[in-house]
Amino acid sequence: MDRIRIRGGRPLEGRIPIGGAKNAALPLMAAALLTDETLTLENLPFLADITTLSHLLVQHGVSITMTGASSAAETGHTLAISAKHIVSMTAPYDLVRKMRASVLVLGPLLARCGAAKVSLPGGCAIGTRPIDLHIAGLERLGATIELANGYVHAHAPKGLVGAEIVFAKPSVGATENLMMAASLADGETVLVNAAREPEVADLARCLNAMGGHVTGAGSDRIAVSGVSRLHGARHRVIPDRIEAGTYVIAAAITGGTIDLVGANIRDIAAVARILEEAGVVVSEAADCLRVTRANGRLIGVDVMTEPFPGFPTDLQAQIMAAMATASGAAMITETIFENRFMHVPELCRMGANINVHGASAMVRGVPELTGAQVMATDLRASVSLVLAGLAAKGETIVNRVYHLDRGYERLEEKLAACGANIERLVDGG
Ligand code: UD1
């Protein structure tokens, strides 16, 4: 199994291109199921999660053609996705358990075919993560849903009918699933307390390019006026705000200057605000965002994760690594997912001083972290250990690199180009 070796302590200096957003790309790919014409998606990142969803779509009968280089290029891939004939309405356990986002095929399959059978995703490393909001929403659109043998069996033989859906809490995936399903429903759907994430707005733009009528995406109230059919379109995926935020924190933790090419400041405003309080300067330059920690240690700042536009849970582990090296204390509170502190014991093995109390972690900054062998159980926790390794004295080996490959394209290449001493040890070598 591949590992990553880092010899830490070097400030990073250089330019990092930000790829297309994984979390925007996944629902966009699922949206291709809504039409029998080709949906062409540009600027897709080359990541394991994209491959997993491609496999799922292919077994539904979708044909996918990929163009665009995978290495060295600053632009991403283009996928032409054609769901002309859907041959299976089942998303099997073996594929869904690999990636929760597979559940995004439920709404489109049901809306297009009148039936769908999708495996329940089950637990995952960061908590139980139910899909009750997806199911209740589809029922409001008139679907009959049964849970049996680990599967969601959904039926709407006469099609879905628009309705008002009030989410008990904002859910990115449920908002996306319902927006897609409602696009082919009869009449108008209003989603209240919808997720406001930029990925939701990107999906709405694509649905509209396909002939849909979605308004209000990006706010907490989204209206979808159903149409009888959607057509093909060409759509460019937005930049990955979590990848950008991760490299902002890389500059902060190593004390360097990184130019993030293609990053969008509006999407990472909450992250920039916290880091500016911590002593980092984030400024807009001609074609990039420049991040500098010029002088001295970071200053400890309290952070609470929240739905967008708040600080994202997907950057909680990374900011904790940075706060572990700060001067003073930082209280980090996780409000989105239970059990999302698995990186804490690993960071402590690198010399961090962190105590968890329920949903909060008290981080008391130390002057220096030290390299160690570490591993993590999810994507963002893994990358937080890479960040800690970049700042730590000595050698850090991060195991279970496959987590990183799910969400970070050419991570070690991008960091090495900025002067990091980082390399992948292939197959235990
Ligand atoms: C998406 C992102 C993930 C990110 C998360 C929160 C993708 C592919 N993944 O995940 O990286 O961490 O948003 O920003 O876009 N919930 C329920 N019932 C449901 C659905 C969700 O209780 O039916 C809860 C979840 O357990 C969680 C909260 O709602 O506590 C938010 O989850 P949600 O926004 O749905 O996350 P995902 O869409 O799974």
Side-chain angles (χ1 to χ4, degrees):
M1 214 179 287
D2 292 4
R3 297 171 298 159
I4 281 187
R5 181 175 61 206
I6 302 158
R7 296 197 172 106
R10 295 186 181 188
L12 300 186
E13 304 282 342
R15 283 165 74 81
I16 295 184
I18 301 304
K22 167 179 88 74
N23 286 351
L26 296 170
L28 289 166
M29 291 169 69
L33 290 166
L34 292 165
T35 173
D36 59 1
E37 294 182 10
T38 301
L39 177 65
T40 303
L41 298 175
E42 297 172 354
N43 197 33
L44 281 161
F46 191 65
L47 296 169
D49 275 8
I50 302 292
T51 310
T52 302
L53 187 57
S54 298
H55 287 153
L56 179 60
L57 293 177
V58 164
Q59 73 84 49
H60 289 307
V62 172
S63 75
I64 302 183
T65 320
M66 190 206 294
T67 51
S70 64
S71 68
E74 294 201 2
T75 53
H77 289 72
T78 297
L79 284 192
I81 310 175
S82 166
K84 196 169 176 48
H85 305 291
I86 293 179
V87 298
S88 158
M89 279 129 34
T90 301
Y93 175 68
D94 273 353
L95 286 169
V96 177
R97 80 182 161 82
K98 276 197 194 162
M99 187 183 63
R100 260 185 69 80
S102 308
V103 82
L104 290 167
V105 301
L106 176 60
L109 282 176
L110 180 62
R112 166 105 180 264
C113 309
K117 178 180 163 194
V118 174
S119 172
L120 285 162
C124 75
I126 56 174
T128 49
R129 299 183 77 173
I131 57 163
D132 55 319
L133 300 172
H134 303 236
I135 291 172
L138 291 171
E139 283 177 333
R140 287 279 300 158
L141 297 185
T144 315
I145 299 199
E146 251 186 293
L147 302 183
N149 310 110
Y151 278 81
V152 179
H153 300 256
H155 293 275
K158 294 190 182 131
L160 298 168
V161 182
E164 183 182 73
I165 297 167
V166 182
F167 292 112
K169 62 162 117 166
S171 155
V172 177
T175 303
E176 292 166 342
N177 233 338
L178 270 300
M179 224 163 65
M180 291 189 279
S183 287
L184 287 183
D186 183 17
E188 174 151 279
T189 297
V190 179
L191 305 177
V192 181
N193 199 18
R196 292 183 286 167
E197 270 66 2
E199 295 77 17
V200 172
D202 199 34
L203 175 62
R205 276 190 293 275
C206 181
L207 290 170
N208 288 340
M210 294 166 74
H213 290 291
V214 183
T215 54
S219 78
D220 60 1
R221 188 182 174 89
I222 300 176
V224 185
S225 181
V227 294
S228 56
R229 71 179 293 274
L230 291 167
H231 54 71
R234 197 173 184 93
H235 178 82
R236 188 172 174 81
V237 180
I238 54 170
D240 194 319
R241 65 193 168 97
I242 305 300
E243 187 192 27
T246 300
Y247 291 124
V248 170
I249 296 171
I253 198 172
T254 64
T257 299
I258 300 183
D259 284 351
L260 301 171
V261 181
N264 184 342
I265 184 78
R266 283 187 307 281
D267 292 348
I268 55 166
V271 182
R273 212 163 33 242
I274 291 285
L275 284 164
E276 279 170 356
E277 268 186 67
V280 175
V281 179
V282 183
S283 56
E284 282 185 274
D287 65 340
C288 63
L289 274 187
R290 177 158 298 169
V291 187
T292 313
R293 189 194 103 204
N295 305 305
R297 279 172 75 185
L298 293 170
I299 302 157
V301 178
D302 293 347
V303 180
M304 184 182 289
T305 64
E306 285 172 312
F308 191 85
F311 190 95
T313 174
D314 286 351
L315 288 170
Q316 179 258 108
Q318 298 90 314
I319 197 73
M320 191 181 294
M323 289 299 126
T325 67
S327 143
M331 174 79 91
I332 299 190
T333 304
E334 172 59 55
T335 71
I336 309 293
F337 292 114
E338 57 193 89
N339 197 20
R340 204 173 194 181
F341 283 142
M342 279 93 52
H343 41 286
V344 169
E346 298 299 295
L347 289 172
C348 290
R349 294 184 58 248
M350 298 178 73
N353 179 351
I354 306 173
N355 290 292
V356 174
H357 306 274
S360 293
M362 174 51 81
V363 185
R364 292 186 175 86
V366 295
E368 192 169 64
L369 297 173
T370 50
Q373 288 247 15
V374 287
M375 66 176 164
T377 43
D378 78 68
L379 166 59
R380 309 304 173 180
S382 293
V383 86
S384 79
L385 301 175
V386 171
L387 296 179
L390 291 172
K393 184 167 178 224
E395 184 173 284
T396 295
I397 304 273
V398 181
N399 293 292
R400 299 194 179 169
V401 167
Y402 58 86
H403 287 300
L404 293 169
D405 293 335
R406 288 190 49 201
Y408 289 93
E409 190 174 23
R410 299 183 285 119
L411 174 78
E412 62 276 23
E413 217 180 288
K414 290 183 181 186
L415 289 169
C418 293
N421 185 331
I422 179 169
E423 71 178 309
R424 183 178 288 241
L425 308 175
V426 177
D427 221 7

